[in-house]
Amino acid sequence: MATALPNFEKFPVFAEESSAGIRWKKWIAKFENLLCALDITSDARKKALLLHYCGEDVYDIYDTFTDEQKGVGAQITVDGNDVPDEYSTVKLSLVTYFNPKKNSAYEVFKFRQTTQLDGESIDTYHTRLRTLGSTCEFQDSDKEILMQILHGCTSQRLRRRALRDNLTLDKVLSEARSYEMSDSQASAIEKASTVNAIDTRYRQRPVSASFRGRKSGDERNKKGNSKMLMHNRETRSSQHGDKHEKMHTTKGKCRNCGGNFPHRGTCPAKGAQCYKCEKYNHFARTCLSTEKVRRVSNCKQDSGEFETYSTSSEESVFSVTNGNATKTPFVEIGIFNKSEMSC
């Protein structure tokens, strides 16, 4: 009866080629743990599962092997009986293939560059160093790990204690755990003490009369929000009206006569004719027309031949009339619709 196979990660051949041999050694150890958990002892099944779980890249490498490297027909003698041994042969061939890819010098370099991270416990740091040290082929791993802890740990107190008393690796780890626990407990106590001190000062602090007044005022404001809103609207409306009235009082000028506005009576320009545009109800000085009058109005003419010279400005119009030789020239000036005669 067929059963579903459990999931198992494939071997990443090209993830980091310089450490392929070390990574393969770790992967094959985990794979054999899986075989043990599944209680698989058949040589043929072991080989089949190895080629199934290793991944496409490893299977392509297996295809390049000779039959001898593939373990075709390989046997060993157990208790006087020949039994298949193809799995062991394939595993040895793959180990031999990946081992030249191992770079011990690079692994040692990574080990030396490993330092304790901020907030990382000594046990986690020790585990990382132990994992990296397994690929470095140290003769005395404990000694190398101890030296790296003294070099890369974040606790100066631990480093000085270890150097002063020449502590072993186990003693250093024990002391580091004690320091971490005491620091954690002290921080918790100090934090609680700080919070209690702040709370006590806050409760003992006298409440000023102004603060009580603000508090009661806030409560009254909550009850009278609608009244306050109406009051604000009326205030803004009143301010706007005052501002409008002020503008007319200080800066208001009548656009017809140019005098102050409003008038006490009728505007002086009412019914008056502009000498600039000849329209009514405004003076020439307030006229908005761009054309100027070039002729004379309201000039009295006597009988006989005469010559008239006239001109005009925005506020006045005048003319000079030269009659025949027997008559005296006269000048008539019109200012704001009023005539004055000068001879």
Side-chain angles (χ1 to χ4, degrees), residues 169-296:
L169 177 60
D170 292 338
K171 189 63 176 177
V172 167
L173 296 176
S174 178
E175 288 293 325
R177 295 187 191 102
S178 299
Y179 291 157
E180 289 176 354
M181 183 176 295
S182 61
D183 290 342
S184 177
Q185 294 172 349
S187 298
I189 295 174
E190 292 168 359
K191 183 178 180 180
S193 300
T194 303
V195 173
N196 292 334
I198 294 175
D199 183 64
T200 302
R201 289 197 299 269
Y202 176 77
R203 282 188 282 181
Q204 292 178 352
R205 182 179 179 182
V207 180
S208 62
S210 60
F211 179 78
R212 288 195 297 269
R214 287 198 300 270
K215 184 176 180 181
S216 60
D218 292 341
E219 293 176 354
R220 290 194 298 270
N221 288 338
K222 291 180 180 178
K223 297 179 180 179
N225 283 336
S226 59
K227 295 182 179 179
M228 182 62 69
L229 180 61
M230 293 299 296
H231 175 72
N232 291 339
R233 289 179 178 176
E234 292 175 358
T235 302
R236 288 196 297 268
S237 177
S238 176
Q239 291 176 351
H240 179 73
D242 294 343
K243 181 179 179 181
H244 184 71
E245 183 178 357
K246 185 177 180 180
M247 290 177 60
H248 280 285
T249 302
T250 57
K251 298 183 180 180
K253 295 292 183 180
C254 180
R255 63 179 181 179
N256 295 326
C257 69
N260 293 333
F261 182 86
H263 303 294
R264 294 184 177 180
T266 305
C267 178
K270 184 176 181 180
Q273 184 180 15
C274 174
Y275 291 105
K276 184 177 180 181
C277 66
E278 295 186 339
K279 295 181 181 180
Y280 292 89
N281 297 323
H282 68 273
F283 291 151
R285 62 181 178 181
T286 61
C287 183
L288 301 178
S289 176
T290 58
E291 297 181 358
K292 293 184 178 181
V293 177
R294 290 302 179 184
R295 67 186 184 84
V296 178

Side-chain angles (χ1 to χ4, degrees), residues 31-51:
F31 173 74
E32 290 185 342
N33 288 336
L34 175 66
L35 295 179
C36 181
L38 297 177
D39 195 20
I40 297 175
T41 57
S42 171
D43 184 75
R45 294 188 64 188
K46 287 184 186 180
K47 179 181 177 182
L49 288 175
L50 172 64
L51 297 177

